[in-house]
Amino acid sequence: MNWKEQALEASRKLNLVSGNVINSVLLDVADAAESHTAELLEANQKDLDKMDRNNPLYDRLQLTEKRISDIAADMRKVATLESPLDKVIEERTLPNGLHLTKRSVPFGVIGIIYEARPNVSFDVFSLCLKSGNVCVLKGGTDAYNSNFAIVSLIKGVLKKHNLDENTVHLMPAGREATAELMDAVGYVDLIIPRGGAGLIKFVRENAKVPVIETGAGVVHAYFDADADLQKGTAIIANAKTRRVSVCNALDTLIINTKRLQDLPAICKPLAEKNVVIEADSKSFTFLAGKYPDNLLEKATDGTFGKEFMDYRMGLKTVDSLDGALKHIAQFSSKHSECIMTENAEVAARFQKEVDAACVYVNAPTSFTDGAQFGMGAEIGISTQKLHARGPMALPELTTYKWLINGNGQIRG
């Protein structure tokens, strides 16, 4: 059998595996990750050696003892979560006596196409297994050694529990394998791309298998006329500099012109982190001489609407909430957006009018994360509106089917 047939067969077998066995597998994989940290780091180093340290993706690619420990903790958390399967969504008896039950079920086989983020291999496996799905992984070439070591470890645990090793499958490196996965109609039920806007656009436009878009985040934070300076400064610094390579990192700060005098204080923590600001004409003029010259540039046509994934940020001035809403509507990727204000009416209007999966008031977009939302490890942040939106975890990896029980009824 080829990988597609093997995945389909593994999916049928997985339907019969009990929740207790699934939880035992997850706990054992978590233990194995920690006990084999040295081997995982050795494989990861082979990938790191091929990447420039100055590449913003280097941080995403890198595994450390702490990160592996955190990954293991996330898997143990997933093992404790309630199963999303076999939930009664709706139930009723028709006048003719037919009894209808709408129950949650796995998708079956889920394909994940992602870039240089080996932690995704663990996250995806744990969530797919817990939700009864086989996962087919197509990681980036940059992380192939890391992903191969991770999947080999997982397969060893599956074998130990007498489960089908094809419950997880790693596709070869190269674009041919990506095309094969995207064309696997009838074998793969769903594809979830995780990565930058280019990857997501490519998958959306070329896949024959249904796709849920995730990941690409062009993120804005609006500092309103009624914003609290201390709160806002901390929120902006956290959203921009906590981890610049992640999809929930801040890309453009929008500031009301009434608060331009606060820009130097707002931007001081950014300067300390060497964040380059690409400022529009009004904010550039105001910041000149008040922000390091080597870190201040004039905005270009490509500044706004860009996911930087780097120590760079756009800066836009507006005269009102309407101006901020208009800018966000034009450039948002519908991922995460934020407002800083002490005006409850302004906050409510912002949350009502901004079209994004996650809309924050007085909190940084860095919280857009399945674990932070109490979901355990996430499989991605959906930026679309069909089926799932925002952080996707266990419930979002299920669909449903109708079960109809009769007693000889026939339709007239």
Side-chain angles (χ1 to χ4, degrees), residues 10-322:
S11 174
R12 287 193 289 266
K13 292 178 181 177
L14 190 55
N15 274 320
L16 304 175
V17 178
S18 72
N20 288 336
V21 171
I22 284 174
N23 291 336
S24 294
V25 170
L26 292 174
L27 294 174
D28 283 357
V29 172
D31 290 344
E34 290 186 322
S35 63
H36 290 79
T37 294
E39 295 96 315
L40 294 175
L41 293 181
E42 182 180 353
N44 183 238
Q45 190 60 50
K46 293 177 182 177
D47 294 324
L48 292 171
D49 289 342
K50 299 175 184 177
M51 183 177 284
D52 184 351
R53 273 185 171 272
N54 295 319
N55 188 329
L57 293 179
Y58 190 93
D59 177 61
R60 281 189 169 192
L61 175 61
Q62 188 173 35
L63 291 175
T64 64
E65 287 189 22
K66 175 65 166 58
R67 288 183 179 180
I68 291 174
S69 177
D70 289 344
I71 288 167
D74 284 343
M75 296 190 76
R76 294 183 182 111
K77 171 66 174 177
V78 171
T80 68
L81 297 175
E82 185 179 5
S83 171
L85 299 175
D86 209 30
K87 299 294 182 186
V88 176
I89 302 168
E90 186 177 344
E91 187 174 19
R92 65 179 181 272
T93 300
L94 301 181
N96 63 7
L98 286 178
H99 186 75
L100 277 60
T101 308
K102 185 179 182 182
R103 286 185 179 270
S104 60
V105 297
F107 273 101
V109 179
I110 297 179
I112 310 291
I113 301 175
Y114 54 111
E115 294 173 326
R117 296 184 66 175
N119 65 293
V120 170
S121 302
F122 279 117
D123 292 347
V124 165
F125 169 75
S126 63
L127 289 169
C128 281
L129 185 69
K130 182 76 176 187
S131 57
N133 293 289
V134 165
C135 59
V136 178
L137 307 176
K138 178 59 186 78
T141 304
D142 290 336
Y144 187 75
N145 291 296
S146 305
N147 290 330
F148 185 83
I150 291 167
V151 171
S152 297
L153 181 150
I154 293 171
K155 283 181 176 289
V157 175
L158 289 169
K159 186 175 181 180
K160 172 187 166 185
H161 285 267
N162 296 314
L163 297 184
D164 193 328
E165 294 179 42
N166 296 302
T167 299
V168 59
H169 176 72
L170 179 66
M171 298 290 285
R175 293 190 175 184
E176 296 80 4
T178 303
E180 189 178 359
L181 177 56
M182 293 192 300
D183 289 345
V185 176
Y187 296 95
V188 176
D189 297 283
L190 175 69
I191 287 179
I192 302 174
R194 291 191 58 172
L199 170 68
I200 292 167
K201 182 174 184 289
F202 174 79
V203 175
R204 182 183 67 240
E205 293 179 352
N206 292 279
K208 295 178 182 177
V209 174
V211 173
I212 292 181
E213 297 179 41
T214 72
V218 179
V219 176
H220 303 82
Y222 170 50
F223 193 89
D224 182 53
D226 295 319
D228 179 275
L229 178 59
Q230 185 176 358
K231 284 184 195 175
T233 300
I235 287 168
I236 292 163
N238 186 258
K240 178 67 249 182
T241 66
R242 190 192 74 87
R243 286 187 69 186
V244 297
S245 63
V246 293
C247 60
N248 58 28
L250 177 61
D251 294 296
T252 295
L253 170 62
I254 305 170
I255 186 166
N256 192 292
T257 51
K258 294 176 182 176
R259 301 301 296 272
L260 278 174
Q261 72 276 7
D262 291 313
L263 256 184
I266 292 169
C267 294
K268 185 174 183 291
L270 303 178
E272 293 169 357
K273 294 283 189 176
N274 294 314
V275 174
V276 176
I277 293 179
E278 298 183 16
D280 66 1
S281 57
K282 190 174 290 187
S283 57
F284 182 90
T285 300
F286 193 88
L287 272 182
K290 302 171 186 175
Y291 195 78
D293 291 342
N294 63 317
L295 298 177
L296 184 62
E297 300 177 3
K298 291 184 178 180
T300 67
D301 291 341
T303 295
F304 303 119
K306 182 176 182 179
E307 184 182 23
F308 286 101
M309 300 175 72
D310 200 353
Y311 286 92
R312 278 186 171 268
M313 185 185 79
L315 179 56
K316 172 72 176 177
T317 52
V318 295
D319 295 325
S320 64
L321 172 63
D322 285 330

